[in-house]
Amino acid sequence: MAETMTYREAMRAAIREALQRDECIFLMGEDVGRYGGAFGVSLGLLEEFGPERIRDTPLSEAGFVGAGIGAALAGMRPIVEIMTVNFSLLALDQILNTAATLLHMSGGQFNVPVVIRMTTGGGRQLAAQHSHSLEAYYAHIPGLRVLAPATVEDARTMLWPALLDPDPVIIFEHGSLYNLSAELAPPEEETSLERAIVRRPGTDLTIVTQGGSLPVSLEASERLAREGISAEVIDLRSLRPLDDEAIATSVRRTHRAVVVDEGWRTLGLTAEIAARIAESCFTDLDAPVLRVASVEVPFPYPRHLEQAAMPSLERIIGAAKEVVGQHG
Amino acid sequence: MAEIKMPALGADMVEATLLEWHVGVGDVVHRGDIIATVDTAKSALEVEALQEGRIEALLINPGTTVSVGTVIATMADSVPEVPTVTPSTSGRPASSPLARRRAAELGIDLADVQPSRPGGFIGVQDVEQSRLAAPAVLPKASEQPAAVIPATEGLREVIASLMARSKREIPHYYLQSTVDIEATLARLEQRNASLPIGERILPAALFLWAIARAARSVPEVNGRFDHGFRPAAEVHLGLAVALREGGVIAPAIRDADRLDLPSMMAQMTDLVRRARAGRLRASEMTDSTITATLLGDQGAEVVHGVIYPPQVALVGVGCIVRRPWAVDGMLGIRRVVAVTLAADHRVTDGHRGSQFLQAIALALDEGVDA
């Protein structure tokens, strides 16, 4: 039976379902309890599950992420909420050097089954220190699984398999997606966490994107269709590992690719994907792979400057026309 | 042409007065160059150029007040932000990998292709355009055939002209030989039984193998007629392939006499597939030294074909049928096939033609073990 819900409600439902299914699972983070979550995801959960399962933490990312990792090592399955990826840098040492690396350093003895959820991205005038998209930092690290649900359905269904993973999982939720609303029917079969999905089929070029850049990429493809250019849009869903096969299959068919991501261009997610496409699809490419990423500036505060810095509709359409060989 | 607009130099700026221009018409500006000083409510500020270009027109005079967003000047020749491909330094024309691959498949020289992409390199569309533009040229009687790939639209016309010319100029004679291939086919079936399905040999491949072999031993059927017969050193066996959209083309299996049976099967299959997909090489269209037309299971029993000029022979193989036959002095049922020869009487006669057909019949049995 289908019901309409927002991305926020879908994530809340996923957390509720997880807490109901397994008593080892609990949620911890700043303001997740009494406040209901900085973005309202855990509203009502403290009342429903109590303070042992919904735990407000002190204002110390290194401290509470470390504690979550410790809980995971001890046999619990914590969901650690870091308010945004901007603050996660304070816990980067815990995530990289403990969570991601302990399995290896212990010779396979200690798994760290922690799920860390973070809000990411800009576009809401939160200025330079609070608008980062640092998915690339985490997707760079062996030992981590990195997910980026971009649809209401993925927000609802990706959490449970992430919790079943014996190794650390990072889930990125773009701040502009929380109010996204959609009708949700229970999926017939589970989609693997590692699969990218073609959200819009096309023939002239492939747009590869993730998370918060999916809506603007889909809108760009609609505009392009009106001008006779058929763009296929791939939602990566998993940033580590990347679904190389899905990307290559598509680009071998369309012969042209544009990669869109809100991180900065240099050494970002788009750079990695462009390199992989060049490796796997070289003789099938009719044009260089183009990247549409955030302009290389600290994120501006004024709205018009912030919009100009982010991957915009105009820039995506421009890049698509460029790879297809159209002037202007 | 790019427009230079009065910029918002502060979040709350709505208008400004131009104090002075720092550039003139015709000046080249780079990103970051100061082009004007304007006076806002708060102070005098500098306006920078946001793009590279050449100033085309200055639209307002110093002392004028305009709102933010008003076009105050125009610029020409703005450089696009997206980097263009650096031209190839190796002397080869700049092209995408896909374009190079397609050009190789079609036998097109990239030097003949016009790039139309904004990046200045040849894309696959440019190669396709170049292919459609190449006209189908009919070889004249006195010329060596030109390297052509007939465009599908003109294919009917090309076939029509070629066949009419053949009948007009070549004195055809026809011989037929019906060959009992029951034993040969039985041995072929035995050979195939031990092979995976993908490697099994069709009788068609055996016929081609035998024809190529026989053409070696009777060289007067293998070559070209151009002011006299010129025998060919190689046997490039043309295979008539019916196209789905109508029409026939006859691309060549090169050095067909040097292939073993599995190779012949593979080449035949590949050639038919590419012929039907329109992906033949120019050399395959012009190199045949003798052609075979195999009617297959759906075909007639006997084919009396028309020689493809400037060749001098066409071998026809009809459909394999079961017929009453004299077997060891008794009546039996055997699988037989009619092998025909249409040949140029200026080069061979019935005697030599018969020897050729006999050579084919012998080679059929030999070929099963090849």
Side-chain angles (χ1 to χ4, degrees):
Chain A
M1 197 187 62
E3 51 174 315
T4 304
M5 64 171 69
T6 62
Y7 184 106
R8 173 186 293 109
E9 288 163 346
M11 186 55 75
R12 184 182 310 141
I15 296 171
R16 175 184 293 118
E17 180 203 359
L19 262 51
Q20 284 167 347
R21 281 170 89 161
D22 186 346
E23 56 185 18
C24 290
I25 296 175
F26 67 97
L27 176 68
M28 59 184 293
E30 293 164 4
D31 293 328
V32 299
R34 280 182 298 273
Y35 193 76
F39 297 94
V41 174
S42 49
L43 211 53
L45 294 183
L46 174 63
E47 290 75 13
E48 191 175 335
F49 293 97
E52 294 280 304
R53 309 289 301 285
I54 308 290
R55 308 181 80 102
D56 280 320
T57 65
L59 210 171
S60 170
E61 279 72 16
F64 71 76
V65 173
I69 291 170
L73 278 165
M76 302 298 284
R77 296 252 168 179
I79 303 170
V80 179
E81 179 173 311
I82 304 181
M83 200 177 285
T84 72
V85 69
N86 308 286
F87 313 127
S88 75
L89 299 177
L90 297 158
L92 192 50
D93 180 71
Q94 290 292 325
I95 298 171
L96 166 58
N97 285 318
T98 306
T101 313
L102 212 51
L103 182 66
H104 162 79
M105 286 172 47
S106 69
Q109 293 181 72
F110 300 125
N111 293 87
V112 184
V114 65
V115 170
I116 302 175
R117 292 175 39 245
M118 310 185 202
T119 299
T120 182
R124 297 177 300 287
Q125 288 194 266
L126 295 176
Q129 292 177 334
H130 297 80
S131 305
H132 297 311
S133 291
L134 298 177
E135 290 88 307
Y137 283 29
Y138 293 94
H140 186 62
I141 300 171
L144 295 181
R145 176 184 297 282
V146 179
L147 304 175
T151 60
V152 175
E153 177 168 338
D154 279 343
R156 179 65 186 87
T157 57
M158 281 180 126
L159 181 64
W160 181 250
L163 283 162
L164 292 178
D165 194 330
D167 297 314
V169 180
I170 318 277
I171 300 181
F172 285 103
E173 301 160 20
H174 195 284
S176 304
L177 292 177
Y178 283 122
N179 290 327
L180 188 68
S181 181
E183 209 177 86
L184 205 57
E188 282 149 22
E189 44 170 67
E190 250 179 47
T191 307
S192 158
L193 281 184
E194 305 191 349
R195 261 194 63 209
I197 290 184
V198 175
R199 296 293 181 195
R200 184 189 190 282
T203 54
D204 295 326
L205 72 139
T206 302
I207 297 176
V208 183
T209 189
Q210 62 95 4
S213 298
L214 179 63
V216 67
S217 299
L218 287 171
E219 198 189 330
S221 69
E222 287 302 309
R223 295 274 196 95
L224 288 164
R226 285 181 232 154
E227 297 188 46
I229 298 174
S230 164
E232 179 149 298
V233 180
I234 294 183
D235 172 11
L236 286 169
R237 299 173 74 244
S238 170
L239 304 182
R240 186 178 184 101
L242 286 167
D243 189 344
D244 291 313
E245 200 188 309
I247 299 170
T249 303
S250 175
V251 177
R252 282 194 199 117
R253 197 174 9 92
T254 65
H255 306 300
R256 299 156 201 98
V258 170
V259 193
V260 183
D261 178 57
E262 211 177 289
W264 290 300
R265 188 170 179 270
T266 303
L267 291 160
L269 209 53
T270 56
E272 172 66 23
I273 295 166
R276 291 196 189 197
I277 293 174
E279 281 166 4
S280 60
C281 307
F282 179 70
T283 54
D284 290 293
L285 285 173
D286 196 37
V289 177
L290 292 186
R291 301 183 273 159
V292 182
S294 284
V295 176
E296 312 256 324
V297 293
F299 253 69
Y301 160 71
R303 183 179 151 70
H304 62 304
L305 293 183
E306 185 184 34
Q307 291 298 312
M310 290 171 61
S312 65
L313 194 60
E314 288 70 35
R315 281 206 284 138
I316 299 173
I317 291 172
K321 289 183 175 178
E322 170 79 15
V323 293
V324 159
Q326 262 187 41
H327 297 261
Chain B
M1 187 201 65
E3 294 177 331
I4 300 175
K5 298 181 183 166
M6 178 64 79
L9 295 170
D12 53 353
M13 176 179 149
V14 290
E15 61 178 27
T17 307
L18 175 69
L19 290 181
E20 72 176 299
W21 286 112
H22 294 284
V23 292
V25 172
D27 286 351
V28 172
V29 300
H30 305 283
R31 270 177 79 127
D33 288 353
I34 308 297
I35 56 177
T37 305
V38 303
D39 199 13
T40 69
K42 294 180 182 167
S43 60
L45 297 172
E46 290 173 333
V47 175
E48 290 175 21
L50 298 176
Q51 306 170 220
E52 239 181 67
R54 194 173 29 84
I55 302 290
E56 212 172 49
L58 301 173
L59 300 177
I60 61 171
N61 291 320
T64 317
T65 302
V66 295
S67 2
V68 163
T70 307
V71 181
I72 57 176
T74 56
M75 228 167 39
D77 296 329
S78 52
V79 173
E81 273 174 33
V82 181
T84 52
V85 172
T86 41
S88 162
T89 48
S90 66
R92 292 184 307 165
S95 53
S96 78
L98 185 65
R100 285 198 286 280
R101 212 180 73 185
R102 192 84 178 104
E105 279 170 17
L106 296 175
I108 290 175
D109 186 350
L110 285 176
D112 298 332
V113 179
Q114 282 306 307
S116 69
R117 297 181 54 97
F121 59 91
I122 296 168
V124 75
Q125 286 305 325
D126 302 322
V127 174
E128 297 289 358
Q129 288 295 319
S130 171
R131 168 197 182 202
L132 290 174
V137 175
L138 291 182
K140 298 196 180 60
S142 55
E143 283 175 8
Q144 287 297 325
V148 297
I149 303 170
T152 337
E153 307 89 83
L155 187 58
R156 270 276 167 232
E157 281 78 40
V158 173
I159 297 171
S161 283
L162 217 52
M163 296 292 98
R165 176 184 144 208
S166 176
K167 282 284 168 164
R168 220 172 30 238
E169 295 174 3
I170 304 178
H172 285 58
Y173 72 94
Y174 302 93
L175 298 177
Q176 173 182 338
S177 187
T178 307
V179 185
D180 172 2
I181 50 166
E182 183 68 49
T184 304
L185 287 180
R187 290 207 301 121
L188 184 63
E189 277 150 19
Q190 212 176 25
R191 175 176 175 162
N192 277 336
S194 58
L195 293 172
I197 292 180
E199 288 173 39
R200 289 184 183 168
I201 317 273
L202 293 175
L206 180 59
F207 292 133
L208 292 178
W209 188 93
I211 293 166
R213 202 40 156 240
R216 253 266 160 264
S217 59
V218 183
E220 293 93 317
V221 299
N222 184 62
R224 298 186 178 94
F225 194 93
D226 174 22
H227 295 105
F229 177 60
R230 291 150 205 256
E234 323 69 26
V235 178
H236 299 319
L237 180 57
L239 173 61
V241 178
L243 300 176
R244 292 205 172 92
E245 52 271 41
V248 173
I249 48 175
I253 298 173
R254 298 173 59 83
D255 290 311
D257 58 323
R258 304 235 183 109
L259 301 174
D260 63 12
L261 197 53
S263 306
M264 180 63 85
M265 178 69 192
Q267 292 229 19
M268 179 186 85
T269 316
D270 174 62
L271 202 64
V272 171
R273 182 182 53 82
R274 282 192 294 114
R276 292 203 170 128
R279 286 174 46 211
L280 293 171
R281 298 170 200 121
S283 59
E284 286 168 333
M285 293 308 298
T286 57
D287 278 3
S288 299
T289 54
I290 177 174
T291 299
T293 174
L294 313 181
L295 298 185
D297 304 330
Q298 317 291 328
E301 271 181 60
V302 186
V303 50
H304 298 295
V306 181
I307 300 170
Y308 282 81
Q311 294 163 40
V312 297
L314 178 85
V315 182
V317 180
C319 117
I320 300 171
V321 293
R322 285 175 202 277
R323 288 287 177 268
W325 206 253
V327 182
D328 294 330
M330 303 242 294
L331 195 60
I333 304 291
R334 307 287 268 197
R335 278 175 289 182
V336 302
V337 67
V339 182
T340 52
L341 173 68
D344 187 332
H345 219 320
R346 299 171 293 182
V347 184
T348 54
D349 51 38
H351 176 69
R352 207 62 178 119
S354 301
Q355 287 178 329
F356 178 55
L357 285 181
Q358 257 192 323
I360 295 176
L362 287 171
L364 278 173
D365 204 54
E366 204 187 302
V368 185
D369 304 312

